[in-house]
Every structure is written in structure tokens, then in C-alpha cells.
Amino acid sequence: MVSWWSLLRFVHVLSAAVWVGGQLTLSALLLPVLRRRLPDDLRASLTSQVGRRFGLYTLAVFVPVQVGSGIGLAIEHDVTWSMLGQPGYGRTLSAKLGVFVVVMVLSGLHGWAHGTGRAALARALALGSLIGSCVIVLLATALVGA
Amino acid sequence: MSRRPGLLLLPAGVVVMLFGLWGGLARLGYTLPADTSSADDHGILMSLGFLGTLIAVERAVALRATWAWLSPVGSAVGSIALVFGAPAVLGRALLVVGGVVLVGVYIALHGVQRSTHNTLMGVAAVGWVAAAALWLANRDIARLVPLLAGFLVITIVAERLELSRLLQLSRRARRTLVSIVAVFVVGAVVSTFDDGVGVRICGGAFVALAGWLLTCDLARRTVRQRGVTRFMAVGLLAGYGWLAVGGALWLGYGFHVDDAVYDAQLHAVFLGFVMSMVFAHAPVIAPSVLRRAFQYRPVLYVPLLLLHLSLMVRVVGGDALSSDDAWQAGGITNVVALLAFVAGTAGSLLFVRGRAGAPSSGVDSDRTSRWRARLSTPAAAGAVIGIAVLVASIAFANSGTTATTASASAAPAAAADGSTTSVAISLREMSIQPAVVTAKPGTKLVLRVANDGTMRHDLRLSNGAHTALLKPGQTATLDAGVVTKALDGWCTVPGHRAAGMTMRIALAAGDATTGDSAGGMANMSGMTDAASTPGPDAVSSNLAGAPDAGWRPVDPTLPPVAAGTTHNVTWHVKDVKMTVAPGVTQTMWTFDGTVPGPALHGHVGDVFNVTVVNDTQMTHNLDFHAEEGPPATTMTPIAPGASHTYRFVADRAGAWLYHCGTAPMLMHMGNGMYGALVIDPPGLSPVARQYVLVGSELFFGPQGDVGDYAKMLADKPDAVVFNGYPFAYQHAPLSASAGDRVRIWIVDAGPTRSMAFHVVGEPFDTVYLDGAYTLRPGDPAAGGAQTLPVDPGDGGFVELTFAQPGKYPFLTHAMADAAIGATGYFDVSK
């Protein structure tokens, strides 16, 4: 049944899909092609510009939408602080929140490393953040069943 | 590859590994969607199925003889057969074949070139044969461990010997090795009749072997080199360490089964040593077997380190320090490590820069390759970060919920204030032991719940705490919280609570009950899962009243025998909410959606293949009274979501009952799981009409719920019915024509009442009961019959000819039963 709550969940899921999907598309599909087809300097300026835009989108749109809709969903589910420590749904949700924070930190560090020319570190952080995003999706699917 | 199709067996080996790991996860207590035998066969799938196939492929490549491929084919096909539920005998026999052929391969290789390593491998392969043969003879897998370990460990050591030909081994060193292996063989042989002594001897041999390897192997020196050489040496040395640890555990603890010691004993040797050796050798063996270049990359350290770290977490944290979370987290990371290894190896074989040939150390003149080699370290670091996040978050998310290693030993407990008390609870058919746990108020109570039964069970407490649905043999910890008031506990699988699967957590202070399991029956009217106090049973104000809208009578016409002598049908077992009497709706358990289930009809000698798909959350089975064979094998239980084909030849004529025979059978039969199987006696004369009526009783539970078990036990039906509904054929009379012969088949499903089938106003001229005619027209005694007496679980038929048109009631002549529903009409026309 479609209700206002399902609309809220829709926004939450859609926004997450755009972010994780964007991350995957950029790093798994676009970057390898750019590496092969563009000269190094052009590629560097292009990727850093795309990266900055993605970072801006993350801060300006993604994080506010996720946090806002997430709080709404928590209210709908009657989530309380003490519940977060309980086995099952509570711990899965807190694991998801924890990984979200970790991924945001990793992404931020990635932007910083990229901007300061630490290519190897940036790459490691990007991959860590990407896997972390997938873990969030995994935990989210686990929540539906919990 | 195309020239050697046999190499396709390698993916088959990997598939077996995946199923083996799946089984491993199930053993760790994870609830997995599919139900396979992989958990039981985990050890065999990993050792003989996966590694056996790899070893056999390698040796078949070495011998270059077509017949040698029979060995990996035997192990791979045998294992896959086991996984997909083929008869155990078939899979196990194929494993024996694989082992025997492998021994043959070594004998053939011995003819080509004699060597110590080949002889040792031959000895190892005998271990495979012995293990598989004993398994075929139904020996428990736990007792095959020395043989399986012997097969793998000796094969690997011999492989080291083969590869270290470069190293000048002194004759003494060689002789020492042979003696150690000889001691191990003695231990393995002893273990076949005395596990305790045999395991200790084998353990001693492992310790000695680890010492020998650490002293004599090249690895100690090559670890100081770089690249792939160093990678291999690290894997080898770590493996030798685990062999020493495992050997010490075998030596010190002797034979253990299914406990923490067993877990550590096995995985130190099979994961710590064997798998580490496999990881270490992959850069050499994979390219030589596949004739493909192998590009080593430092990222291969990821699975290696994951394997060893996770094994340490599992053995130290899980097994030694009894942390279930550590045990599970370590175990699942073991699986991740193996998968990462497979992925890494595949990647190293597929993504190679440069020409095929010898193993490459990853440093290549090609520019792209250097670029890749440089970038692989960050990639590895990123992967480690990601996997660490994955493992940590899953471990946390799943903590406190799932199963544990602790095996329950029954001990009802009382406890001190404020402390935590742990009590073992055993679930089985149909009781919970202990039935009463007394605890002082304020105690934090943790229940270690073990399903010691043969079906799925769970435990739910009246405060809402509950375990997952546990498979047989599975355990779980249930945090009951701080006890402030008495709690009830029960199994939520429908019918189980009613059948006695209840318990109580009582307060120790005051007049705490100390009752026994018989107290469970006191609760039997409670049929709902959610609430501890169910609503009242439904009541029909007028059983003979007009049926509810949408009701349709079950078609009483006996279906004609389908063409052919083999009858294939598929039924779905379903829980169906249906109207069972005016104003009464019940959740009935059904064969294919109706009560009674579909009528089957055939001739003597016909074959029936009845495929039953279980769409419910509960185990069911099917008992055809016409079928022969031990119930344990012919009446196979079907787990939720599973299906099974019951196959039998109808050797005997009769009106047979079929029903669900799952405990508590009274509940399953009282709630609708029965039907009729009609096998015509030879030479049955044709009649104008044939009807089949299944008599049974209904016991109304709360509206919409399942039937009331207490009423079933007390033999207090709310209605006695023909074909599932009271007075069904008063609302929809059976039709016949005057002068026509009518045959009525009667089967009494009970569960408890007999029937005396009678047609008011027309005696029977033919009666068939208990497989014989007791009355036929033209009998010299010139008799007639007035009732067909059918006991529960029995059936027969009568024939009659209505002389005149009119309305003829039929009923059971047990009048109390006729009054509550077992009555109908024949509408006889001209």
C-alpha cells in the first residue's frame, strides 16, 4: 500500500541508489575508459572536476536527504536510542548507521587525498568507500527482513 | 584448454567448494535459505570433493592417460550428486571410485619413475579410499577425520618433497620423513577401531611433521626473497605453524566430536595447514596444470592474511575463549578468505600481461603491467578496508542473535539475584526440557536452546523474546532478559505448542511451581502464536444452517481412472483459511487446498508418483496406507519449502486412506490432512454412478485459527462430516436415477470416530470391506446389508439400486455423529 511513509522510504532508497550507483558507474565504468582514452593531464582535470561535483552533490543533497528521510523512517519504525543496542533489528540498524559514517569519512578523505596529489591513498580510500557503500545496501536489505 | 576438456573439472571442484562452504556457514549457525545436506557433508565436500578433485586433476595431467580422469570425475560427480540429493550410496560410491582410480594413477606413475614423493602420495590416496569406503558403510564423518587429514597432509608434504628436489635433502632427513609418515599411518589405522588412541598418535606425527618441515623446507630461506617466492614462503611457514598447533591439539585432547575442541582440531589442520599450503602453491601449480601464465600480484596476500587472522579469531576467541561472536566472525571470514583466494587466483590467470608460460613475478617490461603492479597495493589496501568494514558490521549486526557452539546439557537452574544465569533448553518432539526453569526475581536469564529433535522448532517467550526457527541439531542463545515475573515459553510451529512443547520460567521466591513436562498439556488450548492467551473457540450457531457465501461442496463424484498405468500428480501442501461450518472459518492444513485432499483412483498394479510441494512453514509428510516399506524411508518428511515425490505401486485393491503422518499426527489429521485413494478390485462391474465420501471430524479452534487440539485429544468433535463440511450434501444432494446401480466408496479419516454408513430406505446388495466382498447379489444366503461399518483409517464400498424415485437420507448410524453433520441426501429421479 502506498502511503506517505512509503513515499519517504522511496526518497531514501532512490537517493541512496543514485549515490551508490553513481559511485559504481564512475569508478567501475567511466574511469577505466578515461584512463585508456584520454591523455593524463586532461584525464586528471576531468576526474577531479567530476569528483568535486560529486562531493558537492554528496554534501548539499545526498547527506541531508538521507539523514532527514532516515530520521523520518526511524520515527515510523518507533526506533529508540536504547533499541539500537538490541540484537536483531537494532544492531543491524546501528551497524548500518556506523558504516554510513565510515563511508562518508572515507569519501571525504578520498577527496582530500585526491586534491593533495596522493593518488595511491585516494585509490585505496575510494575502493574502501565503494565496498562500504555496498555493505550499507546489504545491511539495508537485512533490515527489511529483520 | 579446448584440447583438455578434463580441465572443466576444475570449475566443478570450485562448485563443490561453494556448496561445502555453504554447509560450513550452516554449521556456524547461520540460517540459510536453502536446505541441503551440505552441512552434514561439509567435511567430505571440502576434503574429497573440492581438494580431492584438484589433486586428482593435477595427477591426471601428470600421467597423461585418459583413464586417469576417472578419478577427478568420480570425486566431482560424486560430490555434486551428494549436494543435489542423489541417493547417498551413489555419491559415496563414486567417491570410492575416484580414490581407487587415484591409487591406480600413482601405481602407474610409479612404473614411469620411482620416487619417494610418489609413493607417499600413493599412501595418502589409500587414506581417501579408506575414508570414502567407511563413509559408504555409514561410518560417522567425525571418525574419518584422521584418514581425510592423512590424505591431504601426506599428499601436500610429498608435493613439497617433489618441489624441493632442488634442495639437497640428506638421506637421514628423507628417512626421518618416511618414519613420521609411517607413524601417522599407524595412527590412522588404529583410529579405525580406537579413535582415542589413533587420534593421539596422528597428532604426535603431525607435530613431528611440522618440526621436520620447518627444519628441512626451503621456505625458511626463501622467505627472505621477494615477490612470489616470498609470498609462497610466508604461506608455507604459516601453514607449518598451524600443523604444529593442530597436531598438539590432537595429541593433547585426543578424539572429540562436535565441540569447541573438535572445531579447533579440524580447522587448525584443514584450514590452517592444508588451505594455507593450497594458497601458497597456487602460483606454481595453477600455471603448470592449466598451462597458462600466472601473474602474481601482492593482492594475493589479502586472502592469505585473512585466512590466518580469521582462523586465529576462530580458534583462540571462539574455541578457546568460548566467544560465539568470535567463532562466527572468524568462521565467516574463513569463507571470505577462501572466496577471495579463488577470485585472486582466477584474476591472476585471466589478467596477464605478456606471453603465456612460466609463473611471472609480476615485474614485466610492458609499461601497462608496471603501472598495474604499482597500483595493486592501493587496491589491496582499499579491499582490506572494505572487507574489514563488511566483516565488522555483519559481526556486529548479527551479534547476540544466532546460534552458538555451546552444546546443551540439561540443567534446570535457580540463580542468585542480579546475576546472569544460563540454562540449557532442549527442544524435541513434542516437549521442551526442562519444562520448568526457576529463577530468582532480578536474575538475568539466558537460555541456550538446542533443537535435539528431528523437525524444525523454535522457542518463544511470553515477553516476546524468541529464537529463529532452528533446524534439527541447531542451537541458539535466547536472552530472556531480567526475570521479574513468570514467563511462558512455547514452540511457535503450529500444533507443537498444543502437542506439549511448552515450558515455564517460574519465580523461585514464593510458591514457584516445580511441575514436570506434563504441565505442558495444561496449555494445550493455546493455539495462536502471537498471544499467550488465545481467543475462545469458534462456535456455529446452526451446523445445518445455510452455508456461508462462497461455500462450494467438494465434488463427491469418484474421478475416472486416468489413462495409462502410471499416474503422476503434483500437490501443494497449503494452509488455507476456509469456511468449515456456517459462521466458522478455520485455517486448515490441506493437501492441495481442499479438505479432504484430492481423491486418487487407479487399478491394481498402477504406479503412482505423487509429488508434494510443501508451501507451509511446517514439516509435513504423506502416508499412503496402500504403500509398503519402512515409514522412515517411504514416508519421507518434507521440510518447509521443499518437495518430495512419493512413488509406489498399488499392489492391492481397496478404499485406502492417505494422510499426513507428522507428529503430532492427531493434530495434522484433525486439521484436515487426509484423503482417499481408490484402487478398483479386478473385474469391478460398471455402475451408473460412483461416489466417494471421506468421513472425518472437525474441532473448531478460535475463529480463523487452527483446530483445537484439546478437543481432538478429548474426542469431542464440533462436527462429524462427509467430505469436510457438516450436512454438505443436504445443501447439495447426491443425484441418482431410479433403477440405476450406484456405488459409494467410504473412507473414514477419523481421527477417532468410526462410521456406520447407512442409506435410509434402501439396503445394500453389495458390500466390499477389508479387501473382500462380504455380500454380492445372487448370494445363496439371500442377505442384504444395512450399514457399512468403517473404522478410522479404513475404507470400503457398497452398491445399491434405488427402486423408486425420492429423497433418501444417508448418514452414519452413530446418531450423535449424524446429528452434528454426518448426514446428507440422495436425490433420486425417475
Side-chain angles (χ1 to χ4, degrees), chain B residues 309-387:
Chain B
L309 292 177
S310 59
L311 189 56
M312 265 189 252
V313 169
R314 176 180 189 155
V315 170
V316 178
D319 295 330
L321 302 176
S322 311
S323 157
D324 299 326
D325 290 340
W327 180 66
Q328 281 196 322
I332 199 164
T333 317
N334 292 154
V335 173
V336 171
L338 284 182
L339 297 177
F341 162 73
V342 172
T345 306
S348 299
L349 289 164
L350 292 175
F351 302 107
V352 176
R353 288 284 177 273
R355 270 173 299 144
S360 155
S361 67
V363 183
D364 201 296
S365 59
D366 186 82
R367 203 177 66 89
T368 328
S369 163
R370 258 188 290 137
W371 174 80
R372 272 170 184 261
R374 233 183 304 133
L375 280 186
S376 59
T377 311
V384 169
I385 295 172
I387 291 170

Side-chain angles (χ1 to χ4, degrees), chain B residues 13 41 44 143 168 225 298 348 351 403 412 436 511 613 627 636 653 690 694 718 765 769 780 790 794 809:
Chain B
D41 300 347
I44 298 280
R143 316 199 104 106
Q168 310 290 323
Q225 295 186 3
S348 299
F351 302 107
V436 177
D511 56 350
V613 184
E627 190 181 10
T636 311
Q690 290 201 78
V694 177
D718 290 292
D765 67 8
L769 188 66
V790 187
D794 205 352

Side-chain angles (χ1 to χ4, degrees), chain A residues 1 30 43 46 55 66 71-72 74 98 102-103 112-113 122 127:
Chain A
M1 195 189 69
L30 192 63
R43 177 180 54 82
L46 192 68
Q66 289 314 95
I71 290 172
V102 169
V103 167
W112 163 80
L127 186 59

Side-chain angles (χ1 to χ4, degrees), chain A residues 35 84 87-88 91-92 94-95 99 102 106 120 123-125 127-128 131-132 135 138-139, chain B residues 325 371 375 378-383 385-387 389-390 393-394 396-401:
Chain A
R35 281 209 192 89
L84 291 177
R91 290 196 191 179
T92 309
S94 41
V99 179
V102 169
L106 289 177
R123 194 173 154 84
L125 290 166
L127 186 59
I131 297 176
V135 173
L138 174 73
L139 291 168
Chain B
D325 290 340
W371 174 80
L375 280 186
I385 295 172
I387 291 170
V389 168
L390 173 76
S393 62
I394 291 180
F396 180 73
N398 286 7
S399 60
T401 51

Side-chain angles (χ1 to χ4, degrees), chain B residues 68 234 265 376 438 446 563 575 591 655 667 678 684 700-701:
Chain B
V234 169
Q265 281 179 329
S376 59
T438 39
V446 173
D575 296 342
F591 287 112
M667 181 71 206
V678 171
L684 193 62
F700 304 154

